[in-house]
Amino acid sequence: MILFAFALIILVVALLGAPLFSIILAIALLGFYYLDINLSVIAIEIYRISDMPLLLALPLFTFSGYLLGESQTSKRLLKLTQAIIGWMPNGLAIVAFIACAFFTAFTGASGVTIVALGGLLYPSLIKAGYHEKFSIALVTTSGSLGILFPPSLPLILYGIIAQQLQLGKNVTIDALFLAGIFPGILMIISLSIWSYWTNRKCNIPLIPFSYKRAIIASKEAIWEIPLPIFLLYGIYSGFLAISELAAVTAMYVIVVEVFIYKEIEILQLFAIMRKSMVMVGGILIIISVSLASTNFLIDAEVPMMMFQFIKAHVSDKIVFLMFLNILLLLIGAVLDIFSALVIMVPLILPVAVSYGIDPVHLGIIFIANMQIGYFTPPVGMDLFIASYRFKKPITELYSATVPFMIILFAVVLIITYWPALSLVLL
Amino acid sequence: MKTDKTFYEKYLDKVCILLIKVEDIILVALLTVMITMSFLQIFLRNIFGAGIVWNDLLIRIIVLWIGLVGAMVASRKGEHISISIVSNFLTEKAKAVSNCIVDIFTATVCTVAAYYSLLFVKMEFTSGDVAFHSIPSWICESIIPVAFFVIALRYTILFFRNFSKLMKLTK
């Protein structure tokens, strides 16, 4: 009875908007109390953060992303992509998709793409003659496009959590990064085709390719071009570990933006460091307390019970995947991606594996589903950022983004029911 | 309005601002050390084929510290990740009530966590374990009770702020 009362209190304060870490912490404390385990175990569980060398990548990549977001990188990236592929029919929209995907992958889908790149793209899309509604939807959804490409933080976090679960099968970050490539490209292609179709009557002028422009744009971005090449080579050749790549990236970005381009002053650098680490702190504290709650759940055999319940009601892999898609879509609408990963992966992954789903494939399904959650009402983060940035009422954004949502959900279904698309490179 | 503050209140304000600055500096310093040390380690390993033995462990402990100090800073204005489904639809007054409840809940949970992690650190202190080099484990772990204590304190302050806001609204 008392347990029930406590559970109810926790549920109510969670809905009222209590910090997620305090909810998870309360569940863990309560759970350990009822299992008659000394509550000091909480500190031991939290200290396990320092047993996870991969986690180093999280603060380092987040910092690099924030630094790139605050400098003029977005401008140079846009100019370069435009010079190289802007000549294609419907070129600017394709440029926008590719540039946003790149930028989001590097800055970790924190919404900085909308602010930095969207701010440049939105007026140019309108000027080039694209539909208003299409343009605003493009910049809104751009905040999460590219989340499947390296060095995407959600993919890294999924890998870290999956490795903690000891599934008997190793889920490496490299494998996740390889698996994300084709699904990510499919998203860009599908959106490009849609943009060509919906803007076919807009008479968008073609811009001829110019070597001169391409050379100028490349020269301007000469210090940043090596970064993605180095990262991709590093990940796929395996000559450095992910956390080492993150360290080199952070150092390189500081040198380039602060000392070569001189766009960031030292004092500003400190402010960026602080800002990015507050964001990291918010995520890390959730991860650390969830180490405790996950252990409690395992002690209390909750995944086992969930597993038996689901097995009793869902016989088929396809049906399970259908439920999974719907569940993740709903979760994506109310939780941010990092909390969703920390809470849901330990519960879902063991069940999914028992249905014969590859853990790497599940990671791609999970993240791709969550990508849509970024702009699903009522709490999709991208909606709020775009509404604030472009001074549009949020309800207008709800309706504008619907076609993008449908297309991306169709892609998610393809990703879900065609495992080879993700796993072919492994 | 601020002029009628007593000498002690002004003094207290100054101490608070100083503490906030110290916290910021620690956070930035931790990240700087982390970037430098992890870069140095790669450099040493690949050029000289040898690294500092305890460096990896130091860096991993810094990750924990960054997480907790970052979470402390995020608590200043209650900027933690939360599920905000209901709060978007509440009236000003209902929001103030719900904020008070949330603040008191968070403060309580963090106080409990701070107390039990302090017991753990005390245990480690008496055991005298060494984390790396000559640094004892309890120093590395001490950030856990400190962080929860500071977060609890901040949410207590937030509670009083929201409470006085609620009082004003009911008048």
Side-chain angles (χ1 to χ4, degrees):
Chain A
M1 191 61 212
I2 297 170
L3 182 68
F4 182 74
F6 270 123
L8 196 69
I9 291 175
I10 291 174
L11 185 69
V12 169
V13 288
L15 290 176
L16 287 180
L20 212 57
F21 85 86
S22 70
I23 303 289
I24 300 173
L25 187 59
I27 293 172
L29 285 169
L30 199 64
F32 283 126
Y33 178 77
Y34 271 90
L35 289 180
D36 242 349
I37 295 169
N38 187 338
L39 293 188
S40 291
V41 76
I42 293 286
I44 300 172
E45 297 286 349
I46 290 171
Y47 197 63
R48 269 173 53 208
I49 281 277
S50 60
D51 272 341
M52 300 157 80
L54 259 174
L55 264 187
L56 175 63
L58 187 71
L60 291 175
F61 275 133
T62 309
F63 163 69
S64 309
Y66 268 71
L67 191 52
L68 286 172
E70 298 260 343
S71 56
Q72 301 293 322
T73 309
S74 49
K75 257 186 206 156
R76 286 187 288 270
L77 171 65
L78 193 57
K79 209 168 161 187
L80 183 66
T81 338
Q82 221 160 353
I84 296 171
I85 43 176
W87 52 269
M88 286 155 84
N90 194 35
L92 188 59
I94 299 172
V95 165
F97 291 130
I98 292 174
C100 287
F102 248 101
F103 206 64
T104 301
F106 272 85
T107 56
S110 55
V112 66
T113 309
I114 300 172
V115 178
L117 260 178
L120 301 171
L121 276 171
Y122 181 59
S124 10
L125 282 165
I126 299 284
K127 213 165 107 191
Y130 289 89
H131 281 301
E132 222 264 74
K133 220 174 157 183
F134 169 82
S135 309
I136 193 75
L138 189 156
V139 290
T140 306
T141 53
S142 73
S144 57
L145 187 67
I147 206 168
L148 288 171
F149 295 131
S152 149
L153 288 175
L155 273 181
I156 295 178
L157 187 57
Y158 175 85
I160 292 173
I161 299 169
Q163 287 173 9
Q164 293 287 310
L165 292 175
Q166 288 150 355
L167 298 162
K169 195 174 172 194
N170 198 13
V171 184
T172 62
I173 309 289
D174 310 11
L176 286 165
F177 280 157
L178 278 172
I181 294 182
F182 284 132
I185 291 175
L186 183 63
M187 284 183 175
I188 293 179
I189 293 174
S190 315
L191 288 175
S192 299
I193 293 170
W194 156 249
S195 79
Y196 185 71
W197 171 254
T198 186
N199 292 300
R200 65 194 181 283
K201 287 178 188 148
C202 289
N203 285 324
I204 295 154
L206 284 176
I207 306 158
F209 181 79
S210 139
Y211 277 106
K212 205 178 146 201
R213 225 181 22 232
I215 288 167
I216 291 172
S218 314
K219 266 189 183 160
E220 276 179 24
I222 192 76
W223 290 101
E224 283 155 343
I225 294 172
L227 193 58
I229 299 171
F230 160 77
L231 256 176
L232 292 179
Y233 176 72
I235 289 165
Y236 299 125
S237 74
F239 84 97
L240 284 178
I242 300 291
S243 52
E244 293 178 317
L245 284 171
V248 176
T249 304
M251 200 53 133
Y252 184 80
V253 171
I254 293 180
V255 170
V256 168
E257 306 304 336
V258 179
F259 298 108
I260 295 178
Y261 286 120
K262 294 196 174 76
E263 283 161 353
I264 306 283
E265 311 248 340
I266 290 287
L267 270 181
Q268 211 182 337
L269 179 70
F270 291 151
I272 294 168
M273 282 179 152
R274 180 192 165 277
K275 210 166 100 188
S276 58
M277 287 311 106
V278 172
M279 147 103 180
V280 168
I283 298 169
L284 273 180
I285 196 162
I286 292 180
I287 298 176
S288 61
V289 293
S290 73
L291 288 175
S293 70
T294 304
N295 245 2
F296 152 67
L297 290 178
I298 291 169
D299 275 354
E301 296 186 330
V302 173
M304 201 59 215
M305 287 188 270
M306 239 183 82
F307 175 66
Q308 275 159 358
F309 177 80
I310 296 173
K311 267 274 159 148
H313 293 83
V314 179
S315 53
D316 191 37
K317 182 176 165 183
I318 302 289
V319 181
F320 173 77
L321 283 172
M322 258 163 63
F323 276 116
L324 187 68
N325 278 141
I326 296 164
L327 176 75
L328 289 177
L329 209 59
L330 292 176
I331 290 169
V334 292
L335 275 182
D336 80 295
I337 192 160
F338 293 108
S339 323
L341 279 166
V342 167
I343 297 170
M344 296 312 295
V345 171
L347 294 174
I348 292 178
L349 187 51
V351 183
V353 169
S354 77
Y355 277 98
I357 297 161
D358 190 293
V360 172
H361 182 212
L362 185 84
I364 303 301
I365 297 174
F366 200 108
I367 307 288
N369 243 305
M370 286 293 134
Q371 181 185 336
I372 300 175
Y374 269 91
F375 48 89
T376 315
V379 296
M381 183 180 79
D382 284 357
L383 293 167
F384 291 99
I385 297 172
S387 157
Y388 178 77
R389 177 66 180 77
F390 302 106
K391 309 267 176 295
K392 296 267 176 197
I394 205 150
T395 41
E396 197 182 314
L397 297 180
Y398 286 167
S399 62
T401 49
V402 168
F404 282 72
M405 207 180 287
I406 293 169
I407 290 163
L408 287 177
F409 191 63
V411 176
V412 166
L413 291 179
I414 296 174
I415 292 171
T416 308
Y417 300 104
W418 186 22
L421 180 70
S422 309
L423 302 176
V424 67
L425 290 175
L426 301 186
Chain B
M1 220 172 91
K2 280 189 179 156
T3 45
D4 52 6
K5 278 190 177 169
T6 65
F7 174 75
Y8 291 106
E9 278 174 329
K10 274 186 201 160
Y11 192 72
L12 204 65
D13 279 356
K14 266 191 189 157
V15 172
C16 283
I17 292 167
L18 187 75
L19 283 178
I20 281 176
K21 269 202 181 139
V22 169
E23 203 178 35
D24 282 349
I25 290 168
I26 290 174
L27 192 55
V28 170
L30 282 170
L31 179 62
T32 313
V33 173
M34 176 197 266
I35 296 172
T36 321
M37 290 307 258
S38 49
F39 189 74
L40 186 74
Q41 188 78 342
I42 299 164
F43 189 74
L44 290 176
R45 197 174 289 152
N46 289 294
I47 308 288
F48 300 103
I52 308 165
V53 182
W54 43 265
N55 199 349
D56 284 333
L57 196 67
L58 171 71
I59 294 166
R60 277 184 280 154
I61 288 166
I62 293 179
V63 174
L64 172 80
W65 277 62
I66 282 192
L68 291 172
V69 177
M72 276 157 60
V73 176
S75 311
R76 279 181 202 162
K77 290 177 192 156
E79 289 168 310
H80 277 284
I81 297 170
S82 60
I83 312 170
S84 46
I85 322 172
V86 180
S87 59
N88 287 331
F89 304 102
L90 293 179
T91 60
E92 190 87 352
K93 205 169 140 187
K95 212 172 193 167
V97 176
S98 117
N99 280 343
C100 284
I101 297 171
V102 161
D103 294 341
I104 204 85
F105 172 81
T106 310
T108 315
V109 173
C110 289
T111 310
V112 175
Y115 174 73
Y116 282 101
S117 30
L118 186 67
L119 289 186
F120 169 68
V121 172
K122 220 172 122 189
M123 235 151 57
E124 290 278 290
F125 180 75
T126 34
S127 81
D129 277 351
V130 172
F132 62 91
H133 203 51
S134 59
I135 309 286
S137 295
W138 71 269
I139 292 190
C140 305
E141 293 149 357
S142 61
I143 190 69
I144 302 173
V146 170
F148 281 118
F149 176 70
V150 170
I151 295 172
L153 200 65
R154 291 227 158 101
Y155 273 91
T156 313
I157 296 169
L158 280 175
F159 166 75
F160 282 114
R161 266 197 211 141
N162 282 319
F163 190 70
S164 65
K165 197 173 154 194
L166 181 67
M167 286 295 120
K168 264 181 211 159
L169 282 171
T170 39
K171 268 179 197 171

